[in-house]
């Protein structure tokens, strides 16, 4: 089991990406932008910390372009990425003391765990619809299944 804090694009945004870029086989309902990976932290302790945080105001994002990390192919993010970075900083700040992955924040949405030149090429000119980020989710991942165990809205 692992725990993470994420943003999930709305269904119409995921549907647009899936229909615009041929060859994507991963499940669109699992597509998310990870803000903080917490490993095996106790959700009963993480949830109250998130619940007390001031997360900031809603902002807009869009999926645009793409790239890869080794074999992973991802969609990039456009729009108010400065607010996304600030939200990530607030999430990490309120979870100080928890075992958060300390890699540099490189916001992306993973679409394939296996490299595919056709998917990467399809993402090159992709610019999806804009959406409002209105909250974050605390997610438990166990054996490939994601369960949203808490959600917090931006005021």
């Amino acid at each position: 089991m692992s725990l993470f804090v994420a943003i999930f694009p709305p269904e119409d945004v995921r549907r647009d990406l899936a229909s615009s870029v041929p060859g994507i086989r991963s499940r669109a309902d699992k597509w998310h932008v990870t803000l903080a990976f917490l490993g095996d932290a106790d959700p009963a302790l993480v949830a109250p910390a998130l619940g007390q945080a001031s997360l900031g105001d809603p902002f807009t994002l869009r999926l645009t372009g793409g790239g890869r990390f080794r074999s992973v192919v991802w969609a990039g993010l456009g729009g108010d990425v400065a607010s996304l970075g600030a939200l990530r900083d607030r999430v990490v700040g309120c979870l100080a003391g928890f075992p958060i992955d300390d890699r540099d924040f490189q916001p992306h949405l993973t679409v394939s765990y296996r490299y595919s030149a056709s998917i990467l090429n399809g993402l090159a000119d992709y610019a999806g619809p804009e959406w409002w980020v209105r909250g974050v989710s605390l997610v438990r991942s166990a054996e490939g299944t994601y369960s949203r165990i808490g959600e917090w809205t931006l005021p």
Side-chain angles (χ1 to χ4, degrees):
M1 182 211 68
S2 60
L3 202 63
F4 60 93
V5 179
I7 295 168
F8 286 82
E11 183 178 345
D12 62 317
V13 171
R14 296 184 314 235
R15 191 173 36 249
D16 185 81
L17 176 62
S19 66
S20 299
V21 180
I24 297 176
R25 293 190 182 102
S26 61
R27 290 182 37 202
D29 63 326
K30 294 175 75 172
W31 291 348
H32 64 276
V33 178
T34 301
L35 299 175
F37 182 78
L38 296 149
D40 61 357
D42 184 347
L45 300 175
V46 173
L50 277 170
Q52 295 175 6
S54 174
L55 298 175
D57 296 320
F59 56 94
T60 58
L61 289 177
R62 75 172 354 115
L63 299 173
T64 182
R68 67 186 273 208
F69 306 125
R70 295 181 204 89
S71 64
V72 171
V73 180
W74 48 265
L77 293 161
D80 193 352
V81 292
S83 289
L84 175 62
L87 173 60
R88 196 273 182 170
D89 290 346
R90 285 190 291 275
V91 166
V92 169
C94 80
L95 297 175
F98 289 98
I100 296 175
D101 183 351
D102 63 356
R103 287 182 278 188
D104 289 339
F105 182 53
Q106 298 179 355
H108 65 281
L109 185 144
T110 299
V111 295
S112 178
Y113 288 97
R114 284 192 242 171
Y115 173 71
S116 164
S118 65
I119 294 173
L120 190 57
N121 290 337
L123 288 167
D125 296 324
Y126 178 74
E130 188 173 78
W131 88 88
W132 281 95
V133 174
R134 298 186 188 277
V136 300
S137 299
L138 181 61
V139 183
R140 176 184 295 135
S141 173
E143 298 180 15
T145 301
Y146 290 176
S147 303
R148 295 188 206 191
I149 56 175
E151 299 199 41
W152 292 268
T153 57
L154 304 179

